[in-house]
Each structure stands twice: as C-alpha cells, then as structure tokens.
C-alpha cells in the first residue's frame, strides 16, 4: 500500500518537473531582456508548471527584485536564480518544520 503511494508521488513530481522544464525552455528559448512582459510570461509559465499562483507570484517578485538590483541582466540568468530561490524556500520550510517539532 505505502509503495503505491510513494510511486504515485514520484510520478506526480516527475510530471511537475517536466512541465516546469518545458515552460521555462519555452520562454527562455530566445535570449530576451527581462521586462514586465517577460515577468508576466514567467509567472504564467510557473503557474502552468503546477507551482501554484502564490508561489509563482512570490518567485517572480524575488526575480524582479534581483533584476532591479542588477543581479539579473537577461532571461538566461533566470534558471539559476529560480533554483537559488526555490532552494532557499525549501531550506526555510525545513527550518520551520524542525522548529515545529521541538
């Protein structure tokens, strides 16, 4: 029973990862400048990749801050910035869970 549950989760995560990769590659295909239109497309792509509207909006807001701070210059800089933001969010969630357990 438990094995089937974990297989189901693994299958769902694989689909999400594939959607996420396709969505990003579509908007990052051309080496575009980051502007408001690009950020809106990025948010839509993240929502379409099953990240959900709240997380997508939060990630785009953080990407926009990085852009205005000069840390992101073009669309090709986005994947590594998204990875850093997602990892930071996961670390924060892990800390929250550990604090809740103690």
């Amino acid at each position: 029973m438990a094995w089937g549950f974990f297989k189901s989760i693994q299958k769902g995560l694989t689909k999400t990862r594939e959607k996420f990769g396709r969505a990003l590659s579509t908007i990052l295909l051309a080496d575009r400048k980051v502007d408001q239109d690009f950020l809106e497309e990025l948010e839509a792509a993240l929502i379409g990749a099953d990240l959900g509207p709240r997380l997508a909006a939060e990630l785009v807001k953080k990407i926009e801050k990085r852009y205005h701070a000069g840390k992101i210059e073009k669309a090709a800089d986005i994947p590594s910035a998204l990875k850093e933001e997602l990892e930071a969010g996961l670390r924060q969630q892990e800390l929250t869970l550990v604090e809740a357990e103690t």
Side-chain angles (χ1 to χ4, degrees):
M1 178 73 173
W3 181 252
F5 173 73
F6 289 114
K7 278 292 201 187
S8 176
I9 289 175
Q10 182 182 20
K11 185 177 179 181
L13 290 173
T14 299
K15 284 183 181 180
T16 297
R17 183 181 64 231
E18 289 170 355
K19 282 183 180 181
F20 187 69
R22 277 194 306 271
L24 282 182
S25 65
T26 300
I27 63 170
L28 299 176
L29 195 56
D31 194 23
R32 298 171 49 186
K33 184 166 176 61
V34 177
D35 59 12
Q36 194 59 39
D37 287 338
F38 175 84
L39 292 172
E40 289 174 9
E41 285 182 49
L42 176 62
E43 185 171 358
L46 294 173
I47 292 169
D50 292 339
L51 266 66
R54 194 175 103 218
L55 178 57
E58 186 178 313
L59 286 170
V60 169
K61 189 181 300 183
K62 289 179 180 186
I63 294 299
E64 188 172 15
K65 283 182 183 179
R66 285 180 178 226
Y67 171 71
H68 290 301
K71 296 178 181 178
I72 293 175
E73 295 179 10
K74 54 188 184 272
D77 300 330
I78 300 292
S80 60
L82 281 173
K83 181 180 176 185
E84 290 171 13
E85 292 297 342
L86 286 167
E87 287 174 346
L90 289 172
R91 280 193 300 277
Q92 182 60 41
Q93 289 297 324
E94 184 179 357
L95 289 174
T96 302
L97 288 173
V98 169
E99 289 173 2
E101 290 176 355
T102 57

